[in-house]
PDB file of all heavy atoms in Angstrom:
ATOM      1  N   ASN A   1     -11.805   5.905 -12.925  1.00 97.00           N
ATOM      2  CA  ASN A   1     -10.538   6.254 -12.293  1.00 97.00           C
ATOM      3  C   ASN A   1     -10.800   7.269 -11.157  1.00 97.00           C
ATOM      4  O   ASN A   1     -11.225   8.396 -11.445  1.00 97.00           O
ATOM      5  CB  ASN A   1      -9.560   6.829 -13.306  1.00 97.00           C
ATOM      6  CG  ASN A   1      -8.512   5.806 -13.684  1.00 97.00           C
ATOM      7  OD1 ASN A   1      -8.089   5.001 -12.880  1.00 97.00           O
ATOM      8  ND2 ASN A   1      -8.105   5.854 -14.918  1.00 97.00           N
ATOM      9  N   THR A   2     -10.553   6.865  -9.956  1.00 98.00           N
ATOM     10  CA  THR A   2     -10.631   7.764  -8.811  1.00 98.00           C
ATOM     11  C   THR A   2      -9.305   7.684  -8.067  1.00 98.00           C
ATOM     12  O   THR A   2      -8.518   6.765  -8.321  1.00 98.00           O
ATOM     13  CB  THR A   2     -11.785   7.353  -7.871  1.00 98.00           C
ATOM     14  OG1 THR A   2     -11.611   6.009  -7.438  1.00 98.00           O
ATOM     15  CG2 THR A   2     -13.150   7.508  -8.542  1.00 98.00           C
ATOM     16  N   TYR A   3      -9.069   8.649  -7.201  1.00 98.00           N
ATOM     17  CA  TYR A   3      -7.748   8.761  -6.561  1.00 98.00           C
ATOM     18  C   TYR A   3      -7.880   8.686  -5.065  1.00 98.00           C
ATOM     19  O   TYR A   3      -8.922   9.037  -4.475  1.00 98.00           O
ATOM     20  CB  TYR A   3      -7.083  10.070  -7.004  1.00 98.00           C
ATOM     21  CG  TYR A   3      -6.832  10.121  -8.483  1.00 98.00           C
ATOM     22  CD1 TYR A   3      -7.828  10.545  -9.333  1.00 98.00           C
ATOM     23  CD2 TYR A   3      -5.615   9.678  -8.990  1.00 98.00           C
ATOM     24  CE1 TYR A   3      -7.616  10.542 -10.713  1.00 98.00           C
ATOM     25  CE2 TYR A   3      -5.420   9.672 -10.368  1.00 98.00           C
ATOM     26  CZ  TYR A   3      -6.391  10.087 -11.233  1.00 98.00           C
ATOM     27  OH  TYR A   3      -6.199  10.094 -12.583  1.00 98.00           O
ATOM     28  N   LEU A   4      -6.790   8.258  -4.425  1.00 98.00           N
ATOM     29  CA  LEU A   4      -6.792   8.201  -2.955  1.00 98.00           C
ATOM     30  C   LEU A   4      -6.957   9.586  -2.394  1.00 98.00           C
ATOM     31  O   LEU A   4      -6.367  10.566  -2.897  1.00 98.00           O
ATOM     32  CB  LEU A   4      -5.451   7.613  -2.463  1.00 98.00           C
ATOM     33  CG  LEU A   4      -5.060   6.214  -2.928  1.00 98.00           C
ATOM     34  CD1 LEU A   4      -3.734   5.785  -2.245  1.00 98.00           C
ATOM     35  CD2 LEU A   4      -6.157   5.185  -2.685  1.00 98.00           C
ATOM     36  N   ASN A   5      -7.717   9.675  -1.318  1.00 98.00           N
ATOM     37  CA  ASN A   5      -7.774  10.939  -0.579  1.00 98.00           C
ATOM     38  C   ASN A   5      -6.703  10.892   0.534  1.00 98.00           C
ATOM     39  O   ASN A   5      -5.868   9.951   0.577  1.00 98.00           O
ATOM     40  CB  ASN A   5      -9.162  11.211  -0.060  1.00 98.00           C
ATOM     41  CG  ASN A   5      -9.698  10.141   0.878  1.00 98.00           C
ATOM     42  OD1 ASN A   5      -8.926   9.384   1.456  1.00 98.00           O
ATOM     43  ND2 ASN A   5     -11.011  10.101   1.033  1.00 98.00           N
ATOM     44  N   GLU A   6      -6.729  11.862   1.391  1.00 98.00           N
ATOM     45  CA  GLU A   6      -5.687  11.929   2.459  1.00 98.00           C
ATOM     46  C   GLU A   6      -5.715  10.692   3.331  1.00 98.00           C
ATOM     47  O   GLU A   6      -4.658  10.165   3.698  1.00 98.00           O
ATOM     48  CB  GLU A   6      -5.936  13.199   3.299  1.00 98.00           C
ATOM     49  CG  GLU A   6      -4.839  13.471   4.312  1.00 98.00           C
ATOM     50  CD  GLU A   6      -5.064  14.768   5.066  1.00 98.00           C
ATOM     51  OE1 GLU A   6      -5.642  15.706   4.484  1.00 98.00           O
ATOM     52  OE2 GLU A   6      -4.680  14.808   6.256  1.00 98.00           O
ATOM     53  N   ILE A   7      -6.916  10.226   3.675  1.00 97.00           N
ATOM     54  CA  ILE A   7      -7.014   8.994   4.489  1.00 97.00           C
ATOM     55  C   ILE A   7      -6.446   7.816   3.721  1.00 97.00           C
ATOM     56  O   ILE A   7      -5.685   7.017   4.244  1.00 97.00           O
ATOM     57  CB  ILE A   7      -8.464   8.713   4.866  1.00 97.00           C
ATOM     58  CG1 ILE A   7      -8.959   9.791   5.842  1.00 97.00           C
ATOM     59  CG2 ILE A   7      -8.645   7.317   5.464  1.00 97.00           C
ATOM     60  CD1 ILE A   7     -10.442   9.734   6.125  1.00 97.00           C
ATOM     61  N   GLY A   8      -6.767   7.700   2.443  1.00 98.00           N
ATOM     62  CA  GLY A   8      -6.266   6.601   1.620  1.00 98.00           C
ATOM     63  C   GLY A   8      -4.753   6.580   1.487  1.00 98.00           C
ATOM     64  O   GLY A   8      -4.140   5.499   1.500  1.00 98.00           O
ATOM     65  N   ILE A   9      -4.160   7.751   1.409  1.00 97.00           N
ATOM     66  CA  ILE A   9      -2.698   7.821   1.327  1.00 97.00           C
ATOM     67  C   ILE A   9      -2.091   7.333   2.648  1.00 97.00           C
ATOM     68  O   ILE A   9      -1.098   6.583   2.649  1.00 97.00           O
ATOM     69  CB  ILE A   9      -2.268   9.267   0.987  1.00 97.00           C
ATOM     70  CG1 ILE A   9      -2.661   9.598  -0.483  1.00 97.00           C
ATOM     71  CG2 ILE A   9      -0.751   9.467   1.213  1.00 97.00           C
ATOM     72  CD1 ILE A   9      -2.548  11.049  -0.831  1.00 97.00           C
ATOM     73  N   LYS A  10      -2.671   7.745   3.753  1.00 97.00           N
ATOM     74  CA  LYS A  10      -2.168   7.286   5.070  1.00 97.00           C
ATOM     75  C   LYS A  10      -2.334   5.773   5.201  1.00 97.00           C
ATOM     76  O   LYS A  10      -1.411   5.103   5.714  1.00 97.00           O
ATOM     77  CB  LYS A  10      -2.916   7.993   6.224  1.00 97.00           C
ATOM     78  CG  LYS A  10      -2.546   9.470   6.378  1.00 97.00           C
ATOM     79  CD  LYS A  10      -3.374  10.103   7.473  1.00 97.00           C
ATOM     80  CE  LYS A  10      -3.032  11.561   7.616  1.00 97.00           C
ATOM     81  NZ  LYS A  10      -3.899  12.240   8.617  1.00 97.00           N
ATOM     82  N   GLN A  11      -3.445   5.251   4.734  1.00 97.00           N
ATOM     83  CA  GLN A  11      -3.649   3.794   4.809  1.00 97.00           C
ATOM     84  C   GLN A  11      -2.622   3.058   3.984  1.00 97.00           C
ATOM     85  O   GLN A  11      -2.081   2.038   4.419  1.00 97.00           O
ATOM     86  CB  GLN A  11      -5.057   3.466   4.312  1.00 97.00           C
ATOM     87  CG  GLN A  11      -6.157   3.844   5.246  1.00 97.00           C
ATOM     88  CD  GLN A  11      -7.553   3.681   4.595  1.00 97.00           C
ATOM     89  OE1 GLN A  11      -7.698   3.906   3.408  1.00 97.00           O
ATOM     90  NE2 GLN A  11      -8.522   3.300   5.399  1.00 97.00           N
ATOM     91  N   ALA A  12      -2.331   3.592   2.807  1.00 97.00           N
ATOM     92  CA  ALA A  12      -1.342   2.925   1.924  1.00 97.00           C
ATOM     93  C   ALA A  12       0.036   2.902   2.597  1.00 97.00           C
ATOM     94  O   ALA A  12       0.770   1.910   2.523  1.00 97.00           O
ATOM     95  CB  ALA A  12      -1.279   3.618   0.572  1.00 97.00           C
ATOM     96  N   HIS A  13       0.404   3.991   3.284  1.00 97.00           N
ATOM     97  CA  HIS A  13       1.666   4.025   3.990  1.00 97.00           C
ATOM     98  C   HIS A  13       1.677   3.002   5.140  1.00 97.00           C
ATOM     99  O   HIS A  13       2.671   2.294   5.328  1.00 97.00           O
ATOM    100  CB  HIS A  13       1.974   5.444   4.529  1.00 97.00           C
ATOM    101  CG  HIS A  13       2.493   6.381   3.486  1.00 97.00           C
ATOM    102  ND1 HIS A  13       3.756   6.262   2.953  1.00 97.00           N
ATOM    103  CD2 HIS A  13       1.933   7.428   2.876  1.00 97.00           C
ATOM    104  CE1 HIS A  13       3.951   7.210   2.045  1.00 97.00           C
ATOM    105  NE2 HIS A  13       2.839   7.932   1.984  1.00 97.00           N
ATOM    106  N   LYS A  14       0.584   2.938   5.889  1.00 97.00           N
ATOM    107  CA  LYS A  14       0.496   1.988   6.998  1.00 97.00           C
ATOM    108  C   LYS A  14       0.558   0.536   6.465  1.00 97.00           C
ATOM    109  O   LYS A  14       1.198  -0.327   7.064  1.00 97.00           O
ATOM    110  CB  LYS A  14      -0.816   2.159   7.763  1.00 97.00           C
ATOM    111  CG  LYS A  14      -0.800   3.349   8.707  1.00 97.00           C
ATOM    112  CD  LYS A  14      -2.124   3.555   9.387  1.00 97.00           C
ATOM    113  CE  LYS A  14      -2.407   2.468  10.395  1.00 97.00           C
ATOM    114  NZ  LYS A  14      -3.675   2.693  11.152  1.00 97.00           N
ATOM    115  N   THR A  15      -0.091   0.295   5.311  1.00 97.00           N
ATOM    116  CA  THR A  15      -0.081  -1.043   4.734  1.00 97.00           C
ATOM    117  C   THR A  15       1.324  -1.394   4.274  1.00 97.00           C
ATOM    118  O   THR A  15       1.793  -2.529   4.485  1.00 97.00           O
ATOM    119  CB  THR A  15      -1.057  -1.097   3.570  1.00 97.00           C
ATOM    120  OG1 THR A  15      -2.389  -0.749   4.040  1.00 97.00           O
ATOM    121  CG2 THR A  15      -1.129  -2.480   2.978  1.00 97.00           C
ATOM    122  N   GLY A  16       2.036  -0.428   3.670  1.00 96.00           N
ATOM    123  CA  GLY A  16       3.401  -0.674   3.258  1.00 96.00           C
ATOM    124  C   GLY A  16       4.299  -0.987   4.425  1.00 96.00           C
ATOM    125  O   GLY A  16       5.150  -1.906   4.355  1.00 96.00           O
ATOM    126  N   GLU A  17       4.129  -0.278   5.525  1.00 96.00           N
ATOM    127  CA  GLU A  17       4.890  -0.559   6.749  1.00 96.00           C
ATOM    128  C   GLU A  17       4.641  -1.967   7.245  1.00 96.00           C
ATOM    129  O   GLU A  17       5.548  -2.688   7.625  1.00 96.00           O
ATOM    130  CB  GLU A  17       4.555   0.472   7.848  1.00 96.00           C
ATOM    131  CG  GLU A  17       5.153   1.848   7.657  1.00 96.00           C
ATOM    132  CD  GLU A  17       6.658   1.883   7.885  1.00 96.00           C
ATOM    133  OE1 GLU A  17       7.144   1.059   8.666  1.00 96.00           O
ATOM    134  OE2 GLU A  17       7.296   2.707   7.228  1.00 96.00           O
ATOM    135  N   PHE A  18       3.368  -2.334   7.244  1.00 97.00           N
ATOM    136  CA  PHE A  18       3.024  -3.692   7.686  1.00 97.00           C
ATOM    137  C   PHE A  18       3.640  -4.757   6.782  1.00 97.00           C
ATOM    138  O   PHE A  18       4.228  -5.719   7.282  1.00 97.00           O
ATOM    139  CB  PHE A  18       1.490  -3.858   7.697  1.00 97.00           C
ATOM    140  CG  PHE A  18       1.051  -5.276   7.919  1.00 97.00           C
ATOM    141  CD1 PHE A  18       1.094  -5.800   9.185  1.00 97.00           C
ATOM    142  CD2 PHE A  18       0.591  -6.071   6.881  1.00 97.00           C
ATOM    143  CE1 PHE A  18       0.691  -7.117   9.427  1.00 97.00           C
ATOM    144  CE2 PHE A  18       0.197  -7.369   7.101  1.00 97.00           C
ATOM    145  CZ  PHE A  18       0.254  -7.897   8.381  1.00 97.00           C
ATOM    146  N   LEU A  19       3.597  -4.547   5.500  1.00 97.00           N
ATOM    147  CA  LEU A  19       4.091  -5.569   4.557  1.00 97.00           C
ATOM    148  C   LEU A  19       5.624  -5.671   4.556  1.00 97.00           C
ATOM    149  O   LEU A  19       6.160  -6.680   4.076  1.00 97.00           O
ATOM    150  CB  LEU A  19       3.567  -5.270   3.134  1.00 97.00           C
ATOM    151  CG  LEU A  19       2.078  -5.556   2.923  1.00 97.00           C
ATOM    152  CD1 LEU A  19       1.647  -5.033   1.572  1.00 97.00           C
ATOM    153  CD2 LEU A  19       1.806  -7.045   3.087  1.00 97.00           C
ATOM    154  N   LYS A  20       6.285  -4.680   5.107  1.00 95.00           N
ATOM    155  CA  LYS A  20       7.770  -4.793   5.234  1.00 95.00           C
ATOM    156  C   LYS A  20       8.188  -6.023   6.036  1.00 95.00           C
ATOM    157  O   LYS A  20       9.290  -6.488   5.893  1.00 95.00           O
ATOM    158  CB  LYS A  20       8.349  -3.509   5.925  1.00 95.00           C
ATOM    159  CG  LYS A  20       8.539  -2.381   5.009  1.00 95.00           C
ATOM    160  CD  LYS A  20       9.416  -1.259   5.588  1.00 95.00           C
ATOM    161  CE  LYS A  20       9.423  -1.076   7.061  1.00 95.00           C
ATOM    162  NZ  LYS A  20      10.082   0.159   7.497  1.00 95.00           N
ATOM    163  N   GLY A  21       7.296  -6.523   6.849  1.00 93.00           N
ATOM    164  CA  GLY A  21       7.586  -7.667   7.666  1.00 93.00           C
ATOM    165  C   GLY A  21       7.549  -9.015   6.891  1.00 93.00           C
ATOM    166  O   GLY A  21       7.787 -10.059   7.470  1.00 93.00           O
ATOM    167  N   PHE A  22       7.303  -8.930   5.589  1.00 95.00           N
ATOM    168  CA  PHE A  22       7.231 -10.152   4.758  1.00 95.00           C
ATOM    169  C   PHE A  22       8.202 -10.052   3.587  1.00 95.00           C
ATOM    170  O   PHE A  22       8.611  -8.972   3.216  1.00 95.00           O
ATOM    171  CB  PHE A  22       5.786 -10.349   4.223  1.00 95.00           C
ATOM    172  CG  PHE A  22       4.777 -10.488   5.328  1.00 95.00           C
ATOM    173  CD1 PHE A  22       4.080  -9.374   5.798  1.00 95.00           C
ATOM    174  CD2 PHE A  22       4.533 -11.727   5.910  1.00 95.00           C
ATOM    175  CE1 PHE A  22       3.148  -9.499   6.793  1.00 95.00           C
ATOM    176  CE2 PHE A  22       3.600 -11.858   6.907  1.00 95.00           C
ATOM    177  CZ  PHE A  22       2.904 -10.744   7.380  1.00 95.00           C
ATOM    178  N   ASP A  23       8.526 -11.195   3.046  1.00 92.00           N
ATOM    179  CA  ASP A  23       9.510 -11.231   1.960  1.00 92.00           C
ATOM    180  C   ASP A  23       8.805 -11.209   0.598  1.00 92.00           C
ATOM    181  O   ASP A  23       8.850 -12.198  -0.138  1.00 92.00           O
ATOM    182  CB  ASP A  23      10.368 -12.516   2.099  1.00 92.00           C
ATOM    183  CG  ASP A  23      11.451 -12.541   1.067  1.00 92.00           C
ATOM    184  OD1 ASP A  23      11.903 -11.481   0.593  1.00 92.00           O
ATOM    185  OD2 ASP A  23      11.892 -13.686   0.695  1.00 92.00           O
ATOM    186  N   LEU A  24       8.137 -10.105   0.315  1.00 95.00           N
ATOM    187  CA  LEU A  24       7.453  -9.974  -0.985  1.00 95.00           C
ATOM    188  C   LEU A  24       8.481  -9.954  -2.111  1.00 95.00           C
ATOM    189  O   LEU A  24       9.497  -9.261  -2.041  1.00 95.00           O
ATOM    190  CB  LEU A  24       6.599  -8.732  -1.020  1.00 95.00           C
ATOM    191  CG  LEU A  24       5.458  -8.626  -0.010  1.00 95.00           C
ATOM    192  CD1 LEU A  24       4.664  -7.361  -0.243  1.00 95.00           C
ATOM    193  CD2 LEU A  24       4.578  -9.852  -0.069  1.00 95.00           C
ATOM    194  N   GLN A  25       8.162 -10.707  -3.139  1.00 94.00           N
ATOM    195  CA  GLN A  25       9.097 -10.790  -4.284  1.00 94.00           C
ATOM    196  C   GLN A  25       8.587 -10.068  -5.513  1.00 94.00           C
ATOM    197  O   GLN A  25       9.347  -9.744  -6.423  1.00 94.00           O
ATOM    198  CB  GLN A  25       9.374 -12.279  -4.603  1.00 94.00           C
ATOM    199  CG  GLN A  25      10.065 -12.939  -3.445  1.00 94.00           C
ATOM    200  CD  GLN A  25       9.966 -14.484  -3.514  1.00 94.00           C
ATOM    201  OE1 GLN A  25       8.991 -15.036  -3.985  1.00 94.00           O
ATOM    202  NE2 GLN A  25      11.002 -15.156  -2.996  1.00 94.00           N
ATOM    203  N   MET A  26       7.286  -9.863  -5.576  1.00 95.00           N
ATOM    204  CA  MET A  26       6.670  -9.179  -6.717  1.00 95.00           C
ATOM    205  C   MET A  26       5.445  -8.395  -6.218  1.00 95.00           C
ATOM    206  O   MET A  26       4.836  -8.751  -5.232  1.00 95.00           O
ATOM    207  CB  MET A  26       6.229 -10.170  -7.797  1.00 95.00           C
ATOM    208  CG  MET A  26       7.294 -11.041  -8.419  1.00 95.00           C
ATOM    209  SD  MET A  26       8.196 -10.164  -9.718  1.00 95.00           S
ATOM    210  CE  MET A  26       6.966  -9.969 -10.988  1.00 95.00           C
ATOM    211  N   ILE A  27       5.080  -7.367  -6.998  1.00 97.00           N
ATOM    212  CA  ILE A  27       3.866  -6.602  -6.750  1.00 97.00           C
ATOM    213  C   ILE A  27       3.090  -6.550  -8.031  1.00 97.00           C
ATOM    214  O   ILE A  27       3.588  -6.065  -9.074  1.00 97.00           O
ATOM    215  CB  ILE A  27       4.138  -5.196  -6.190  1.00 97.00           C
ATOM    216  CG1 ILE A  27       4.873  -5.264  -4.843  1.00 97.00           C
ATOM    217  CG2 ILE A  27       2.826  -4.433  -6.056  1.00 97.00           C
ATOM    218  CD1 ILE A  27       5.281  -3.944  -4.248  1.00 97.00           C
ATOM    219  N   TYR A  28       1.869  -7.040  -8.010  1.00 98.00           N
ATOM    220  CA  TYR A  28       0.942  -6.922  -9.133  1.00 98.00           C
ATOM    221  C   TYR A  28      -0.167  -5.956  -8.778  1.00 98.00           C
ATOM    222  O   TYR A  28      -0.466  -5.714  -7.587  1.00 98.00           O
ATOM    223  CB  TYR A  28       0.324  -8.297  -9.409  1.00 98.00           C
ATOM    224  CG  TYR A  28       1.289  -9.326  -9.947  1.00 98.00           C
ATOM    225  CD1 TYR A  28       2.069 -10.071  -9.050  1.00 98.00           C
ATOM    226  CD2 TYR A  28       1.465  -9.521 -11.301  1.00 98.00           C
ATOM    227  CE1 TYR A  28       2.988 -10.996  -9.520  1.00 98.00           C
ATOM    228  CE2 TYR A  28       2.399 -10.447 -11.768  1.00 98.00           C
ATOM    229  CZ  TYR A  28       3.159 -11.183 -10.873  1.00 98.00           C
ATOM    230  OH  TYR A  28       4.055 -12.092 -11.348  1.00 98.00           O
ATOM    231  N   CYS A  29      -0.761  -5.352  -9.804  1.00 98.00           N
ATOM    232  CA  CYS A  29      -1.653  -4.238  -9.540  1.00 98.00           C
ATOM    233  C   CYS A  29      -2.688  -4.066 -10.634  1.00 98.00           C
ATOM    234  O   CYS A  29      -2.385  -4.203 -11.839  1.00 98.00           O
ATOM    235  CB  CYS A  29      -0.777  -2.998  -9.423  1.00 98.00           C
ATOM    236  SG  CYS A  29      -1.662  -1.483  -9.026  1.00 98.00           S
ATOM    237  N   SER A  30      -3.895  -3.729 -10.244  1.00 98.00           N
ATOM    238  CA  SER A  30      -4.913  -3.235 -11.162  1.00 98.00           C
ATOM    239  C   SER A  30      -4.383  -1.966 -11.827  1.00 98.00           C
ATOM    240  O   SER A  30      -3.575  -1.256 -11.269  1.00 98.00           O
ATOM    241  CB  SER A  30      -6.185  -2.927 -10.382  1.00 98.00           C
ATOM    242  OG  SER A  30      -7.043  -2.030 -11.061  1.00 98.00           O
TER     243      SER A  30
END
């Protein structure tokens, strides 16, 4: 178990912004 660093948190926000353009219906996760 490791955690996102500052860069990883920014990347996750950018990825979320990008995915807003799609009609995601579910999110699965490790």
Side-chain angles (χ1 to χ4, degrees):
N1 257 326
T2 57
Y3 297 86
L4 301 184
N5 60 20
E6 187 177 327
I7 291 171
I9 290 168
K10 288 178 182 175
Q11 288 171 325
H13 281 291
K14 284 177 69 175
T15 303
E17 284 290 330
F18 171 76
L19 288 171
K20 277 193 331 190
F22 300 93
D23 184 27
L24 297 184
Q25 297 162 328
M26 298 280 292
I27 297 176
Y28 292 85
C29 183
S30 159

